Amino acid sequence: MSGTQERQKHAGTVKPPIPADEADRLQALEHYRLGGIGREQPFDHITQFAADLFDVPMSLVSIVGSDAQCFRGACGIDETHTPRDVAFCAFAILQPEVMVVPDAAKDPRFRSNPLVTGAPHIRFYAGAPLRVANGQPIGTLCIIDHEPRDFGEQEQKRLAQLARTVVDLIEFRVEGFAAEEHRRKLDDERQLLKLTVENVSGGVAVVDRDLRLMLWNQAFVDLFDYAPDSVTGGRDARELIRLTAQRGELGPGDPDQIVTGFVESIRTSDSRRLEIQRRNGRILDIRRESIRGGRFIMTARDVTQERQISRLKDELVSTVSHELRTPLTAISGALGLMAGGAAGELPDRAKQLVAIGSKNAERLIHLVNDLLDMDKLQSGKLVFHFEGRELGLLLTEAIEQIEPYAERFGVRLAFERPTDAVVAKVDSNRLCQVMTNLLSNACKFSPSGGTVRVSLQRAGDSAHISVADEGPGISPEFRARLFKRFEQEDGAHQQGHAGTGLGLAISKAIVEAHGGSITLDPETEKGATFRVELPAVTAS
Amino acid sequence: MIRILYVDDEADLREIAVMSLELDPEIQVRTAASGAEALEQAKQWQPALILLDVMMPGMDGPATLARLRADPDTSEIPAAFITAKTHPRHVTDLKALGARAVLAKPFDPMSLAANVRTLLQP
């Protein structure tokens, strides 16, 4: 039936008025998910009960939508819905109490209603509005008869009572939806978590406060080589630890005692890291971190290859340094003896050549030392021994060390030492290394006859050291790369200033390990000025 | 004459050390190419000081020192290590073994004799 035919068919029918707050009412429908067509058994049962109770052939739980009333529950009626324009219930929802139409044929609102003039031939109608929690009437519980009928006050009360039961049902139903949604969301999240955990490259296991396994991935099972059926939800983590302990993979000792030790550590510390070697030779890096609610997460990673590579590198570095230093000792020793006249007076030309040889052997020795330092710094193996030292004294020592080098370049070293002692917690050898590096750079780049000025000051909680030269300065392009590894200013080689390109990177790492900073003074107009700032110790 | 026993598995370094030390006319040097040879020489020749390389194949410097200390004929002879491993931690470890000093490799050949004399001062 088209829209036009529908309207023609209903011509003469009095249309039900639309409530003023219809939008809110429709929103309530939406909230209770009662829009649309579809019967539900609990509502059918109630209509059956109502029909029996009031001895009528028809009863409905009718939900009044924007265009139609839809029957969520029905007894004696097969239709699923009717247009709202002809719905008795659309009138009933406007009433505060039960709407009773004793004889529709005599009621001016309904006598030409197609539901009265045609099937289902309504004569008697009584509908109690279904008011949900916010007071909106979303529909009715109604009873219908083919015969006119009186409907007393007592009966109206009962119908209203039954309607409240329908509303209760509707409220429960929506709570059920919310619970269902919540459950689905939880399921989704659990699924997502499981997928995430499964896709992590290492082994992961989450254990609850009672040490029961909650969540784990296949990598966890594989890394520890547990039988698939030994890892199940709720499994006691102690049993898994015992399995590993029994294989001797958690060190020597009684497995039960090892397990007790582990449990004790779980109770007393929030995190732990441990490396074990499995019977199959694989090395696992295992970490435990406490998470919310007394649970903890355990991650395991196979680090066998990393450890092998690291060991190979250590061996290589050690071998290379030894193998390089031995011939270098021989070369520089032989050249040193020649230059020192141990083999008799050398002709001038030979002296020059020996000096070139010596200088380059020295460069190689520096390079080997720098490479070793850099390697140690990078791997965190460089151990610092901090002690309170007077920096004036330390700088004097560094200057004395570098003096022969400065003489070679015809450079004078000037130290502006404060009258008061400036004390800082330093590793003397390492800080001396930084200072001799800065000083030798300064000498190298100074013009012959120039002066390298060293100053020491205390400013608040800091000790300020500066080393200034009168050289050509550092180009703005190079400044950004100054403290990076293997960086040397373009042309340094051609000017005979070649170094290893590691000195400043090492110096920076050393100063930073002291909690200090090293910078190039951007204000200097002539030459270059390096500043080292260190936390000073308050003189007591 | 001051007798110095220089122990190193590297022939070239032994030669350089001999030349360096003998720049001092009062120093007399003998060398050993291994820990075992060093024990033998020390026992027979009774040097005033033994300079020991650390990394040697077979019996290394520390092992040699331990054997020297265990033998009553050599237990009193002062010894110093001469090594490329001069990190403060290594130096501390080596001194803990009973060495009088740890000299760095590469050494300055022109001042090695002077350094050795300083070591022998009471």
Side-chain angles (χ1 to χ4, degrees):
Chain A
M1 198 180 286
S2 77
T4 320
Q5 285 170 315
E6 190 102 356
R7 271 195 297 281
Q8 280 167 353
K9 188 182 162 195
H10 305 152
T13 310
V14 177
K15 285 185 187 171
I18 301 295
D21 50 358
E22 174 70 359
D24 293 346
R25 206 187 64 79
L26 292 176
Q27 206 171 359
L29 272 189
E30 192 79 20
H31 169 71
Y32 287 96
R33 298 197 208 177
L34 284 166
I37 294 164
R39 301 219 333 217
E40 291 173 39
Q41 212 176 33
F43 297 127
D44 275 348
H45 289 162
I46 288 194
T47 53
Q48 181 67 58
F49 178 71
D52 289 349
L53 182 68
F54 297 107
D55 191 24
V56 291
M58 293 166 279
S59 172
L60 298 167
V61 169
S62 166
I63 303 301
V64 180
S66 58
D67 300 318
Q69 62 170 344
C70 299
F71 309 141
R72 282 279 155 185
C75 169
I77 288 178
D78 292 331
E79 275 75 19
T80 55
H81 64 291
T82 73
R84 181 171 177 171
D85 285 356
V86 300
F88 280 57
C89 297
F91 285 91
I93 59 168
L94 299 167
Q95 305 299 319
E97 303 294 338
V98 176
M99 179 181 95
V100 182
V101 180
D103 187 349
K106 289 181 181 161
D107 191 314
R109 291 174 293 176
F110 302 115
R111 62 180 164 224
S112 50
N113 186 304
L115 302 178
V116 176
T117 55
H121 301 287
I122 299 174
R123 290 295 293 275
F124 163 75
Y125 172 95
L130 301 172
R131 286 187 198 283
V132 288
N134 66 356
Q136 285 294 343
I138 55 170
T140 70
L141 169 67
C142 64
I143 50 172
I144 297 163
D145 203 344
H146 302 302
E147 307 296 332
R149 176 173 169 167
D150 286 328
F151 201 58
E153 203 172 310
Q154 204 54 42
E155 287 175 303
Q156 288 182 32
K157 262 190 189 162
R158 277 192 202 143
L159 185 63
Q161 184 66 45
L162 206 51
R164 277 196 286 278
T165 308
V166 174
V167 171
D168 286 345
L169 202 61
I170 287 170
E171 298 286 355
F172 280 133
R173 183 176 161 278
V174 79
E175 275 168 29
F177 286 143
E180 169 74 11
E181 202 161 292
H182 187 63
R183 203 172 52 79
R184 210 174 24 233
K185 214 167 137 192
L186 279 182
D187 274 355
D188 265 5
E189 279 171 13
R190 201 165 295 150
Q191 204 63 30
L192 185 67
L193 187 62
K194 226 173 152 49
L195 274 173
T196 309
V197 165
E198 202 49 63
N199 281 287
V200 170
S201 63
V204 176
V206 180
V207 176
D208 72 12
R209 58 184 314 139
D210 300 318
L211 300 174
R212 303 262 165 207
L213 199 58
M214 297 173 72
L215 184 72
W216 66 95
N217 63 3
Q218 190 56 40
F220 170 78
V221 180
D222 294 344
L223 280 174
F224 288 95
D225 217 359
Y226 292 132
D229 57 353
S230 68
V231 184
T232 48
R235 179 79 199 259
D236 193 329
R238 279 169 286 211
E239 288 167 37
L240 294 178
I241 300 171
R242 186 174 291 110
L243 273 176
T244 306
Q246 278 165 348
R247 294 172 185 158
E249 293 173 348
L250 296 177
D254 173 33
D256 285 331
Q257 273 178 2
I258 292 175
V259 173
T260 312
F262 267 77
V263 173
E264 183 61 23
S265 127
I266 290 165
R267 300 277 180 240
T268 52
S269 71
D270 278 348
S271 66
R272 187 176 176 195
R273 191 170 173 187
L274 138 113
E275 202 165 284
I276 67 165
Q277 178 147 29
R278 300 226 27 243
R279 276 186 309 187
N280 61 10
R282 309 302 296 177
I283 300 167
L284 302 186
D285 175 29
I286 305 168
R287 292 168 199 227
R288 171 174 60 74
E289 287 289 340
S290 287
I291 48 176
R292 226 153 35 106
R295 304 180 187 105
F296 66 87
I297 185 162
M298 211 177 86
T299 53
R301 211 161 53 87
D302 188 327
V303 291
T304 316
Q305 209 177 4
E306 276 170 51
R307 294 294 175 272
Q308 272 167 352
I309 291 169
S310 166
R311 201 174 54 239
L312 277 175
K313 197 195 77 180
D314 284 352
E315 278 167 16
L316 183 75
V317 167
S318 170
T319 308
V320 164
S321 71
H322 183 250
E323 294 306 314
L324 281 174
R325 276 190 217 218
T326 303
L328 279 170
T329 305
I331 293 168
S332 67
L335 291 169
L337 283 169
M338 279 213 310
E345 188 60 26
L346 294 178
D348 284 351
R349 196 87 183 108
K351 266 188 194 160
Q352 260 179 332
L353 292 171
V354 168
I356 291 171
S358 284
K359 196 173 72 188
N360 284 283
E362 214 170 277
R363 258 181 68 190
L364 277 174
I365 292 164
H366 268 293
L367 177 62
V368 173
N369 289 343
D370 281 358
L371 280 172
L372 283 174
D373 280 349
M374 203 65 227
D375 177 66
K376 283 186 201 140
L377 277 167
Q378 275 187 318
S379 58
K381 280 187 194 148
L382 202 62
V383 184
F384 289 87
H385 301 275
F386 294 105
E387 51 178 352
R389 276 293 309 264
E390 206 281 298
L391 295 181
L393 211 61
L394 194 139
L395 285 176
T396 307
E397 282 169 23
I399 289 166
E400 275 168 10
Q401 263 188 46
I402 217 77
E403 232 141 36
Y405 186 78
E407 269 170 35
R408 220 196 283 175
F409 288 90
V411 174
R412 201 173 70 85
L413 296 167
F415 181 25
E416 198 182 305
R417 191 175 168 180
T419 42
D420 291 336
V422 181
V423 181
K425 276 218 153 108
V426 299
D427 180 319
S428 304
N429 286 316
R430 289 299 167 189
L431 192 63
C432 203
Q433 183 183 350
V434 172
M435 294 320 302
T436 51
N437 177 253
L438 291 180
L439 288 168
S440 62
N441 279 346
C443 292
K444 208 156 61 175
F445 290 100
S446 286
S448 182
T451 304
V452 169
R453 289 173 208 284
V454 183
S455 83
L456 170 67
Q457 275 177 340
R458 190 184 165 119
D461 293 336
S462 304
H464 290 210
I465 302 167
S466 73
V467 176
D469 66 47
E470 296 171 347
I474 290 159
S475 68
E477 302 81 58
F478 185 60
R479 285 175 189 216
R481 294 180 287 133
L482 194 58
F483 292 100
K484 296 217 167 84
R485 287 183 296 151
F486 298 110
E487 290 289 358
Q488 292 193 70
E489 190 151 28
D490 293 341
H493 282 278
Q494 287 86 334
Q495 292 156 25
H497 296 151
T500 62
L502 285 168
L504 283 175
I506 292 169
S507 295
K508 183 169 185 276
I510 292 174
V511 171
E512 284 172 359
H514 281 75
S517 64
I518 181 168
T519 48
L520 175 73
D521 187 345
E523 308 285 305
T524 312
E525 281 173 12
K526 189 168 175 282
T529 303
F530 282 88
R531 296 192 187 284
V532 175
E533 253 189 73
L534 295 168
V537 175
T538 314
S540 53
Chain B
M1 290 297 271
I2 304 165
R3 291 176 171 187
I4 307 284
L5 177 61
Y6 182 87
V7 188
D8 199 317
D9 61 312
E10 288 284 334
D12 285 352
L13 291 186
R14 290 199 299 274
E15 206 167 322
I16 300 257
V18 171
M19 286 174 79
S20 303
L21 290 166
E22 287 184 344
L23 286 172
D24 184 330
E26 282 183 39
I27 290 179
Q28 191 186 358
V29 191
R30 282 197 191 174
T31 62
S34 69
E37 209 182 299
L39 298 178
E40 192 72 23
Q41 293 249 28
K43 213 174 161 95
Q44 287 175 4
W45 194 49
Q46 292 293 317
L49 176 76
I50 303 170
L51 285 175
L52 270 172
D53 180 27
V54 172
M55 285 167 79
M56 291 188 289
M59 196 193 304
D60 65 4
T64 308
L65 181 59
R67 294 279 293 273
L68 285 168
R69 289 286 170 267
D71 185 337
D73 290 343
T74 55
S75 63
E76 297 298 321
I77 304 174
F81 285 114
I82 182 153
T83 176
K85 287 188 165 183
T86 52
H87 186 271
R89 189 161 44 88
H90 289 135
V91 172
T92 313
D93 291 350
L94 290 172
K95 277 191 176 165
L97 297 173
R100 185 165 280 199
V102 178
L103 303 178
K105 261 185 193 174
F107 50 82
D108 173 7
M110 299 310 288
S111 56
L112 184 63
N115 288 341
V116 162
R117 268 179 176 274
T118 315
L119 276 182
L120 287 172
Q121 277 164 11

